[in-house]
Amino acid sequence: MNPVKGKVLDNLVAVAGQFVPQGKVIAIEEYGNGNVNDTFLVTLDSKEKHFVLQRINTQVFHRPELVMRNIRAFSEHVRRRLQSGPLSPGRRWEVVRVLSAEDGEDHWIDPSGSFWRALSFIDGAQSFDTIEDIEHGKEVGFALGMFHNLLSDLPREKLVDTLEGFHITPSYLLHYDEILAQNRPKKSAEVDYALQFIEERRGWANVLEKAKGQGRLGLRPIHGDPKVNNVMIDNSTGQAISIVDLDTVKPGLVHYDVGDCLRSGCNPLGEETDQWERVHFDPELCQAILQGYLPLARDFLTENDYEYLYDAIRLISLELGLRFFTDYLAGNVYFKANHQEHNLLRALVQFKLTGSIESQETSIRLIIQDTR
Ligand code: GN1
Ligand code: MG
């Protein structure tokens, strides 16, 4: 993590000051590795030593105040549920708090128009970019199950759609076609592989949306981005104690979440590896995550839900590959990129992962069947 220095630090200290009535800011460092928002860890000289400061990317989230409204609806509901009795007795479960700005609002807009908000820091815990072992895998699954279960009785009307088209694969395909028509990519073996990979799966990519349209799958409150490094693990017990990054909490299919959790959790090389040709989907980690998830999800999953779990795993990794590849073609306008080809490389990782999922379809379906 990089400490921030100089003028940038001065600016950030001023922003942080909007959220800390007491205590003095001692240090600010860049935090995590989000692809969309800017995140900083602020250290204070007060009793509560840290908080998280974030600048929301308003190119992505056009109505950030509605994102905050969803987070509020989510937290109020979950706190109420937890007060009425723990879901998993004896386990710690934390919900991040939104800190108020000096004017009492849940965000602060700086003179240049940037949208800032502050969140409580979960102490004594950390997250990982890849799954360390089977136990960790079960904990990641548990965390998603806990999250879905706690939200399963929140009417989805209480949440606004803050990111239209998010996880609607056919919409990403339309966007891809538009971008491709405008920018013919530089030819290379990797680009050809990506172009062909997408073409071969185009006809199938509406699988979840079609099932939704037919009434086989229904909208529910979801997390939207439950990847491995959004699951906080308690340093002393090794147990999952929270899922962070609540910006995409909104109505959706739980399948988007299950797919996202598995595509990130079962890729031992991680989504940022530069060894894309070696990427594979690990069925043992898949089993571990589902063993953690399904006991908490049995209460609300329907027969149809189970039927589409395999498709969800395959689809969300394909979709993320498509999103990264489109962004590469568009000139890296959505996902932050460290170099020109970064989003191409990320796309190749997801396509390779999708191929590995496809080649293990029978065993993944069996794992789902045996774990439910
Ligand atoms: C983005 O910014 P971050 O890392 O939390 C993206 C997710 C992707 C993820 C891939 C709003 O999340 O959908 O799965 O990158 N978030 C948005 O790492 O597009
Ligand atoms: Mg996110």
Side-chain angles (χ1 to χ4, degrees):
M1 260 162 273
N2 295 326
V4 186
K5 297 191 189 112
K7 208 166 154 13
V8 182
L9 176 63
D10 295 344
N11 286 338
L12 282 172
V13 170
V15 178
Q18 293 293 325
F19 296 93
V20 272
Q22 291 139 14
K24 191 170 146 261
V25 173
I26 305 177
I28 301 187
E29 58 202 300
E30 287 176 9
Y31 189 63
N33 41 13
N35 292 328
V36 171
N37 296 326
D38 296 325
T39 306
F40 303 92
L41 182 66
V42 181
T43 305
L44 304 168
D45 69 351
S46 63
K47 191 160 153 267
E48 196 160 337
K49 270 187 72 185
H50 300 289
F51 74 90
V52 175
L53 183 66
Q54 285 187 303
R55 175 167 42 208
I56 304 297
N57 182 335
T58 48
Q59 305 278 20
V60 171
F61 297 102
H62 299 301
R63 300 284 308 274
E65 71 287 357
L66 295 182
V67 171
M68 299 312 290
R69 195 206 281 178
N70 277 356
I71 295 181
R72 216 162 40 235
F74 158 83
S75 323
E76 280 165 15
H77 179 80
V78 171
R79 288 224 174 78
R80 233 177 292 127
R81 272 284 298 271
L82 290 172
Q83 268 161 17
S84 67
L87 197 55
S88 257
R91 287 191 62 135
R92 171 182 175 205
W93 189 257
E94 304 257 347
V95 184
V96 163
R97 276 177 296 115
V98 175
L99 309 184
S100 299
E102 271 187 332
D103 59 4
E105 295 290 325
D106 57 14
H107 63 272
W108 181 68
I109 299 176
D110 75 17
S112 72
S114 286
F115 188 101
W116 295 91
R117 59 108 189 272
L119 303 170
S120 63
F121 176 73
I122 299 180
D123 234 337
Q126 59 182 317
S127 70
F128 301 85
D129 287 332
T130 49
I131 291 191
E132 308 273 291
D133 53 30
I134 295 296
E135 279 315 304
H136 183 200
K138 287 185 188 166
E139 287 301 315
V140 167
F142 171 88
L144 185 62
M146 185 78 173
F147 192 92
H148 281 170
N149 196 313
L150 287 169
L151 277 186
S152 58
D153 58 344
L154 172 68
R156 65 178 160 83
E157 298 74 34
K158 302 260 172 176
L159 299 174
V160 195
D161 188 354
T162 45
L163 204 54
E164 226 184 288
F166 192 55
H167 290 314
I168 312 286
T169 318
S171 307
Y172 290 116
L173 268 175
L174 281 177
H175 181 53
Y176 164 72
D177 288 337
E178 276 167 27
I179 296 292
L180 198 57
Q182 293 159 17
N183 324 38
R184 279 320 288 187
K186 217 170 52 201
K187 277 232 157 257
S188 71
E190 287 81 8
V191 165
D192 280 346
Y193 167 80
L195 290 168
Q196 195 182 339
F197 199 90
I198 295 168
E199 275 332 295
E200 287 168 358
R201 287 150 188 86
R202 184 184 278 280
W204 165 80
N206 67 344
V207 57
L208 292 184
E209 294 317 304
K210 191 166 143 203
K212 190 166 88 183
Q214 293 168 335
R216 292 168 67 82
L217 301 178
L219 294 178
R220 301 202 182 96
I222 64 159
H223 181 282
D225 189 17
K227 55 180 174 177
V228 172
N229 60 12
N230 280 332
V231 176
M232 301 302 295
I233 303 289
D234 186 309
N235 291 337
S236 53
T237 63
Q239 290 185 333
I241 53 162
S242 190
I243 303 196
V244 294
D245 187 3
L246 305 173
D247 294 325
T248 46
V249 169
K250 66 186 200 85
L253 297 179
V254 287
H255 295 74
Y256 306 152
D257 278 357
V258 175
D260 196 57
C261 188
L262 286 158
R263 68 107 199 127
S264 73
C266 307
N267 168 6
L269 294 181
E271 65 184 73
E272 291 292 335
T273 179
D274 49 17
Q275 295 181 296
W276 68 273
E277 279 164 305
R278 290 187 48 223
V279 168
H280 61 280
F281 183 89
D282 184 324
E284 284 177 19
L285 293 177
C286 171
Q287 185 177 37
I289 294 177
L290 290 175
Q291 279 172 348
Y293 175 72
L294 288 174
L296 285 128
R298 277 187 197 119
D299 292 353
F300 58 84
L301 288 184
T302 65
E303 203 50 48
N304 281 340
D305 285 334
Y306 285 108
E307 220 178 280
Y308 284 91
L309 286 184
Y310 166 76
D311 289 301
I313 304 168
R314 179 183 171 204
L315 186 69
I316 298 299
S317 54
L318 173 69
E319 179 193 275
L320 186 58
L322 172 68
R323 294 172 63 199
F324 282 141
F325 187 57
T326 305
D327 203 37
Y328 163 71
L329 298 176
N332 308 316
V333 293
Y334 186 99
F335 296 105
K336 291 182 198 169
N338 299 339
H339 54 91
Q340 203 53 37
E341 318 262 280
H342 196 165
N343 281 315
L344 171 60
L345 187 60
R346 287 168 168 158
L348 297 171
V349 170
Q350 294 305 317
F351 293 147
K352 199 74 187 153
L353 187 68
T354 309
S356 173
I357 293 167
E358 291 167 351
S359 70
Q360 301 180 74
E361 171 171 354
T362 311
S363 35
I364 297 173
R365 284 190 188 276
L366 264 179
I367 293 172
I368 296 169
Q369 208 174 59
D370 292 348
T371 318
R372 54 176 288 194

